[in-house]
Structures are given as structure tokens and as C-alpha cells.
Amino acid sequence: MGFSKDFIWGGASAAYQVEGAYNEDGKGMNIWDVYSRVPGHVKYTETGDVACDHYHRYKEDIALFKEIGLKYYRFSISWTRVMPDGIGKINEKGIQFYSNLIDELLKAGIEPMVTIHHWDYPYELYKKGGWMNDESPKWFEEYTKVLVDAFSDRVKYWITINEPQCIIGCGYWGGHHAPFQKYSNRELILMSHNLLLAHGRAVKCLREHAKINPIVSFAPTGPSFVPEDNKPETIEEARRKTMNMSHGLYFSNTWWSDPVYLGKYPDEAYEIFGEDMITPSKEDMELISQPLDYYATNIYYSEKSRPQYTYETNAYQGAPRTTMNWRVTEEVMYWSPKFLYERYGLPILISENGIASMDWVDRHGKVCDPNREDYIARYVSHLMKAADEGIPIMGYLYWSVMDNYEWSEGYDKRFGLIYVDYLTQKRTIKESGYWYKKLIESNGELAYE
């Protein structure tokens, strides 16, 4: 059976990771602009000030995207590029940049997919309390309305928020992403609720004001577990752990997806958090659970080896790993969509999947990265297996279209299909980029060769 004829093949990026031009043309500061400068937060105190200079080179980049055959390009909007203070004043030069970007994509035959927020929260709003402020959902709605007014005549696909697990879990619980803070459970729960309300307001805004019918989702990530064998009880245990909130709390699948797709917080949350847990109003939950069109999810690997949570086969010493130290566990691309579809019942879009590897331009001017080709083939073949079994797989977006700034890891981790020399900004399509074009042309069948 394979993938459908209208399968979404593409690549993804995020504004702060590629754009640069952090203080040009009226852009305001976000929390990464501010806190990446503080020693100890990011390796070598590297910032996204320049990144891939995509702000100035987007036409060149889109030409490369076309050359490697992308049909869809998922990118995020920099909130402070279009609204320097997060609310109020609109920066027309920022609006023009994204308008030009969208037009250039359409001219190249590439469908734009907009992520409204990918971690670069406005610093001015952070100073007002950020997600702790009960006005924050309205701030996000105001921002969304600006994007809808400016771009919804040409943009059909929307994702409201990328990886809320990392926004709250990495930024305010673990303290290893901007703003590099650690909050109490009660505060984190309130922040989570406001973020979910922001998502709901954004969806409502899109439904009410988009100029062409919007196709809308949310893009969580989360722990994924795979069974060691095909015994029913083993599969059920993997399913339970994938949907078990006690693993990772704010990183779990159900903490973020149950409210959005099922209209309620998981029962487990009340057991785990006790008196810290909120009792949301019916109106709040109705807003949070606005109907969505598909389930977008970022999937990279099955979980770490912890005796009480997962299986030794996933993380033995010497297991295949990427330079992010993430395990290569391609079977997750079958099991995770399967478990997510069974619980939430919507078509699955793989909104991110990819590998960071040791890449360089060789003496012949090429970037030979057969391990990336192999990685993609392994994962896509397992995704196709899910499709063959009747799970509605909507598409696959490789992360990332080009090497870029990898948050608190700085510039050392190369995920791209396109190599970026950060000293010169010269781009080189990797051999995997040319291979990915052939994979797209075969609608995934090349993954089996």
C-alpha cells in the first residue's frame, strides 16, 4: 500500500536557529537573544545572532530546497520580528520578510507550513511574567491574529506551538534552555495551563479569521517505548509506558496531548501532583480542546535505558548513536505513530525526524554522509510499515533542512541536508540531500533498497 499519493514530503527549521539578523530592521529581543549571552548557558556562549544568515539568504536557500526536491517547508515565525515587544506595535519590515519568504516558496513550488511559536519567547513579555502571567494566552492570540491577517491568504498549514515539553520542561523545570530557570510544580502547572490556553486561542483565531481554510495542529514530542517482542502483554507494556505521565512529568505525551485532543488532563496528573494540581474550568478545557486536523509529532528515538522504564536493548553500551548521543532506534517510527493514533485518532504528521552527524566538506568539495541516508531509510521504512497497516500517515518532515544553531549545544551538531560553513556561510548540499530527493520521487519506496 505504501504512502498516499498526496503524502507530505519536506523539511523543517526554526527562526532563531537559522535567521540571524537578531537586531536588524526593528526586530525585538527574545529570551534566547538575551540568555544565550550569559556564560554557562550555551556551549562556548554561542548565540543565534548570525546563525545561518537565512534572513539575508532566504532566496538562495529556497533555491537549494527546490534543488533537493522539497514539496513542503515548515518554518517558524520569530514573534519579536513581527511584534518587537510581543504585543502592541507591529513591525512591518518583519511582516514583509515573511511575506517575501512565503512568496518565494510558492514561486518554487514549495508549500509553506508555518509554526507560530518555536521557543523564542519575547523578552519584554517574559519580564511581565511570561507564561506565568494569566494574560499570556491573550498575548499569543494577539500575535496569532497578526500572522493570520498577513499570511493566511497564502498559508494553509499551521502548527501553533512546537514541543511544549521543551518550552516548559527544558526552560523552566530542567533549566537548560532559555530562560534557564527552575520553577516549582505549582508554577509549572500554571504555566502549562496558560500555554495550552494560548494554543486554544490561536486555533480559534485561525478558524475564525483565516482567509483560506486552515489545516491546524500542535507539535508535541514525548517519550516513546518499543516492545522487545510481539507478545500482547509486551506491546501493552510499551503502550502504557509511552502514555505514562510518571515518566518525565512535563515531558510526557499525555500531559500535553490529553487536554488538547481529549479535553481533559490525564487522571494520573491528579495522583502525581496532589494539591498542586489545578481544577480547570469547563470553559478553559473547551478552549484548549478546539478540534484539530491532524496530530503533528516530533520523533527521534525510543527512550533512555532506565530499569524501571525501558528495555536494555534500546541503550546498551556501544549501541548506534548520533552526535547528540541519541540512540538510532528506527522501530520507534512504527510504534509511536501506532500508539498515538490509537489514543488520539487523527492522521499523523512526522513534523520532525533527523540525525546529527559528523559532517565536513571533503577534498572533492562534497559532503558524503551515507549514515544520514541510512538513518532516514530505516526510519521511513518503519513509518511506511505503519501506513501499510492502515495508520493514516500524513507526511514526513526531515529535521533540518540545513545545519543550524542547536540551542544550548551551539553550532557543533549538524542535522542538515545542506551543509553550512559558519565562517563563510557557504552552503553545500550533502549527498543525503540529493538522496532525499530520490526518496521523495519514489514516494518512500527507495527506503527499501
Side-chain angles (χ1 to χ4, degrees):
M1 184 166 62
F3 296 137
S4 64
K5 291 181 179 179
D6 59 353
F7 191 79
I8 290 172
W9 288 104
S13 74
Y16 188 73
Q17 294 180 269
V18 299
E19 285 180 5
Y22 83 102
N23 62 352
E24 293 185 36
D25 293 339
K27 178 185 168 295
M29 298 289 277
N30 64 58
I31 56 175
W32 278 93
D33 290 321
V34 173
Y35 290 108
S36 61
R37 291 172 151 67
V38 178
H41 285 166
V42 176
K43 287 184 178 179
Y44 310 111
T45 320
E46 292 179 320
T47 72
D49 289 2
V50 177
C52 304
D53 196 31
H54 181 64
Y55 185 77
H56 299 111
R57 298 169 184 263
Y58 71 92
K59 289 187 178 182
E60 172 191 353
D61 291 336
I62 291 171
L64 294 175
F65 301 167
K66 183 177 181 179
E67 188 173 344
I68 61 177
L70 297 190
K71 303 300 183 185
Y72 292 77
Y73 174 47
R74 178 190 170 204
F75 62 96
S76 75
I77 305 288
S78 167
W79 189 338
T80 57
R81 196 176 295 285
V82 299
M83 302 182 79
D85 298 322
I87 53 176
K89 178 186 174 183
I90 297 172
N91 178 27
E92 293 300 333
K93 288 187 177 180
I95 295 290
Q96 191 62 53
F97 166 70
Y98 291 110
S99 185
N100 293 343
L101 175 68
I102 290 164
D103 286 345
E104 194 71 16
L105 287 167
L106 293 171
K107 181 181 173 184
I110 301 171
E111 187 80 25
M113 305 181 80
V114 166
T115 303
I116 296 173
H117 182 55
H118 194 136
W119 306 1
D120 49 352
Y121 197 82
Y123 182 58
E124 291 303 315
L125 296 186
Y126 174 70
K127 291 194 295 184
K128 296 177 185 291
W131 295 116
M132 276 293 293
N133 192 316
D134 288 341
E135 293 297 305
S136 58
K138 294 179 182 177
W139 299 339
F140 194 73
E141 180 182 20
E142 180 183 341
Y143 161 53
T144 300
K145 180 62 162 54
V146 171
L147 304 190
V148 170
D149 288 347
F151 310 129
S152 69
D153 59 332
R154 289 157 291 163
V155 174
K156 180 165 51 175
Y157 292 91
W158 299 82
I159 290 174
T160 57
I161 297 171
N162 183 76
E163 292 187 356
Q165 286 92 340
C166 294
I167 292 173
I168 301 300
C170 296
Y172 301 90
W173 184 36
H176 50 274
H177 276 186
F180 303 94
Q181 299 295 313
K182 293 187 178 183
Y183 282 58
S184 69
N185 275 338
R186 180 65 177 179
E187 291 168 322
L188 292 165
I189 290 165
L190 293 172
M191 293 169 76
S192 297
H193 191 66
N194 282 335
L195 189 151
L196 288 167
L197 286 169
H199 157 79
R201 283 181 172 273
V203 175
K204 193 167 185 290
C205 179
L206 281 159
R207 299 289 189 213
E208 292 176 354
H209 300 289
K211 297 167 187 174
I212 56 177
N213 187 40
I215 301 174
V216 187
S217 192
F218 184 55
T221 186
S224 300
F225 295 85
V226 300
E228 280 189 296
D229 55 49
N230 286 320
K231 295 176 183 177
E233 61 270 23
T234 311
I235 294 171
E236 181 54 37
E237 178 69 359
R239 180 187 290 108
R240 185 188 68 79
K241 289 178 177 177
T242 297
M243 300 301 170
N244 186 344
M245 196 188 149
S246 61
H247 174 73
L249 299 182
Y250 306 102
F251 289 97
S252 66
N253 289 298
T254 53
W255 176 247
W256 297 102
S257 292
D258 277 16
V260 169
Y261 295 97
L262 304 182
K264 66 183 186 69
Y265 283 101
D267 294 339
E268 202 177 6
Y270 296 88
E271 299 170 10
I272 292 169
F273 293 126
E275 293 182 357
D276 285 331
M277 186 58 193
I278 60 172
T279 303
S281 68
K282 179 183 177 183
E283 292 75 19
D284 276 3
M285 297 315 297
E286 287 176 351
L287 181 58
I288 289 168
S289 59
Q290 297 285 309
L292 298 180
D293 300 297
Y294 59 103
Y295 189 104
T297 181
N298 302 343
I299 300 174
Y300 290 91
Y301 58 91
S302 51
E303 264 306 301
K304 293 179 180 178
S305 181
R306 297 179 182 176
Q308 69 270 41
Y309 292 132
T310 190
Y311 311 97
E312 291 182 4
T313 50
N314 287 349
Y316 59 88
Q317 290 294 306
R321 296 174 188 268
T322 74
T323 59
M324 288 292 288
N325 202 31
W326 296 348
R327 290 156 311 289
V328 179
T329 55
E330 63 268 23
E331 64 275 10
V332 72
M333 199 57 89
Y334 166 78
W335 289 105
S336 189
K338 175 181 172 65
F339 293 154
L340 292 168
Y341 177 66
E342 287 172 349
R343 189 175 184 93
Y344 300 116
L346 286 177
I348 303 292
L349 173 70
I350 306 303
S351 41
E352 287 184 24
N353 170 252
I355 174 177
S357 189
M358 297 292 290
D359 303 326
W360 61 84
V361 180
D362 70 16
R363 64 188 188 280
H364 304 296
K366 295 182 177 181
V367 180
C368 298
D369 55 339
N371 55 343
R372 182 168 286 105
E373 296 174 20
D374 185 67
Y375 176 99
I376 297 171
R378 286 170 180 253
Y379 278 72
V380 167
S381 66
H382 281 265
L383 188 64
M384 193 174 286
K385 178 185 174 184
D388 286 341
E389 293 188 7
I391 298 168
I393 306 297
M394 183 175 164
Y396 174 90
L397 304 179
Y398 179 79
W399 180 275
S400 59
V401 287
M402 66 178 76
D403 295 336
N404 56 43
Y405 180 84
E406 184 51 38
W407 307 108
S408 55
E409 292 290 331
Y411 288 97
D412 191 48
K413 311 300 183 185
R414 293 185 176 274
F415 276 90
L417 296 170
I418 299 168
Y419 183 92
V420 178
D421 183 330
Y422 298 118
L423 299 180
T424 65
Q425 292 297 337
K426 181 180 178 181
R427 274 79 158 134
T428 303
I429 297 176
K430 301 176 186 179
E431 293 304 293
S432 63
Y434 293 115
W435 179 88
Y436 190 56
K437 180 179 183 178
K438 295 177 183 177
L439 180 71
I440 293 170
E441 289 171 347
S442 75
N443 202 30
E445 295 295 331
L446 184 61
Y448 287 108
E449 294 183 5

